[in-house]
Amino acid sequence: MSKRLTPQRRHQILDQLARDGEVSVEALARELATSEVTIRKDLAFLEKSGLLLRRYGGAVAIPRELLVHDEPVSAAKQAIARLAASRIRAHQRIIIDSGTTTVVLIPELKGRDDLIVMTNSLSVANAIRELENEPVLLMTGGTWDPHSDSFQGQVAEQVLRSYDFDQVFLGADGLDLERGTTTFNELIGLSRVMAEVSREVVVMAESHKLGRRIPNLELAWSSVSTLITDDALPDAARDQIRAHGVEVLIAPLIEPATA
């Protein structure tokens, strides 16, 4: 392939990213007949423009959740949150991780002042503070990560290890039938600590996240107690996840009332 002008080359990178979900510097340099230094400059420019996230050796697509902040909450997320809330017993200590699905859980805790809730997310914390008779709220602190919109790092991990918890509720960018839950974020240490210090690990994820090509393994299935998802999950996928010892719960959608 002959050399392309810079705008054309960058459009090609974005086209491939949209198709495959990730790109590598080495492969792009070969396919676009240019140097790896040039490709790294392209990726840096595109990341600065908010069009991708750079990762070691390449880049990944920006998760849709980070691109759209004001979209209506889907019926599937609401159903997942309702079912997750029904699993929380009185006087429990729980962790709610950052994420666009886990934050939907908060309105379902209305009136639950019998709970202690730890979170690393300002969005989750602010939502809890808006509740009437809100639960006791604890924050991890730590190093702020703008990509995940949450606190991460060793300080946050040390705080978590100072407690023990009944349940943790985590989201996922992807569901890999063989490996477990996956994420675009490279900072996966805190999620793993959350799982370590909790008796039950509950993953809340819509079924459309199944099979997404995401490089970073967050939690192996052996670390997950329960997956709560929607009824679009194929039966074969449900059986395969259950074979890993995970309880799979399907959240029923509430049909709108008819006149």
Side-chain angles (χ1 to χ4, degrees):
M1 179 180 292
S2 60
K3 280 193 174 183
R4 298 170 179 262
L5 296 175
T6 298
Q8 294 174 315
R9 188 177 60 248
R10 290 172 179 172
H11 278 300
Q12 178 69 21
I13 292 171
L14 292 175
D15 286 344
Q16 184 170 332
L17 194 60
R19 184 178 66 249
D20 298 336
E22 58 182 306
V23 293
S24 76
V25 171
E26 182 180 2
L28 286 172
R30 182 173 61 252
E31 293 168 14
L32 300 177
T34 190
S35 69
E36 293 188 7
V37 172
T38 297
I39 294 298
R40 290 191 184 96
K41 290 180 180 178
D42 288 337
L43 296 182
F45 174 85
L46 293 170
E47 181 179 52
K48 188 175 181 180
S49 301
L51 298 172
L52 54 75
L53 294 178
R54 295 176 69 190
R55 292 293 181 258
Y56 180 78
V60 297
I62 292 182
R64 186 169 182 270
E65 292 85 349
L66 296 183
L67 290 172
V68 183
H69 297 285
D70 298 322
E71 65 179 33
V73 175
S74 69
K77 282 185 179 180
Q78 291 175 328
I80 290 168
R82 282 193 298 269
L83 183 53
S86 73
R87 305 272 295 182
I88 302 173
R89 295 181 294 276
H91 308 296
Q92 285 195 308
R93 292 185 177 188
I94 67 174
I95 306 171
I96 301 178
D97 192 15
S98 60
T100 59
T101 302
T102 51
V103 75
V104 182
L105 176 61
I106 307 308
E108 302 297 327
L109 303 182
K110 183 178 180 180
R112 295 293 303 270
D113 57 357
D114 58 337
L115 303 175
I116 296 175
V117 180
M118 172 77 81
T119 187
N120 64 327
S121 165
L122 288 180
S123 297
V124 170
N126 289 333
I128 289 175
R129 290 299 306 273
E130 292 176 1
L131 293 175
E132 186 176 356
N133 300 322
E134 72 269 14
V136 175
L137 174 63
L138 303 175
M139 292 289 295
T140 63
T143 302
W144 181 253
D145 173 44
H147 286 158
S148 64
D149 199 30
S150 64
F151 291 102
Q152 303 285 338
Q154 292 185 356
V155 171
E157 292 174 12
Q158 290 170 2
V159 170
L160 283 169
R161 288 194 170 104
S162 300
Y163 297 83
D164 64 283
F165 296 91
D166 298 293
Q167 293 171 303
V168 58
F169 295 88
L170 304 109
D173 291 323
L175 300 173
D176 186 308
L177 290 177
E178 295 295 334
R179 298 188 298 160
T181 68
T182 57
T183 179
F184 289 102
N185 190 6
E186 291 185 325
L187 301 176
I188 55 180
L190 191 64
S191 297
R192 293 178 177 177
V193 173
M194 289 178 175
E196 290 171 11
V197 300
S198 302
R199 296 180 181 86
E200 182 182 10
V201 179
V202 181
V203 173
M204 303 166 61
E206 292 172 277
S207 62
H208 71 77
K209 295 183 176 181
L210 179 68
R212 299 174 76 183
R213 296 183 59 179
I214 301 173
N216 302 314
L217 177 67
E218 187 165 28
L219 292 178
W221 287 123
S222 59
S223 299
V224 177
S225 309
T226 305
L227 169 66
I228 302 180
T229 187
D230 56 75
D231 60 5
L233 184 74
D235 291 342
R238 187 185 317 178
D239 293 342
Q240 191 167 344
I241 295 172
R242 283 174 173 164
H244 292 290
V246 178
E247 180 183 21
V248 180
L249 301 178
I250 304 301
L253 297 181
I254 295 179
E255 297 294 336
T258 57

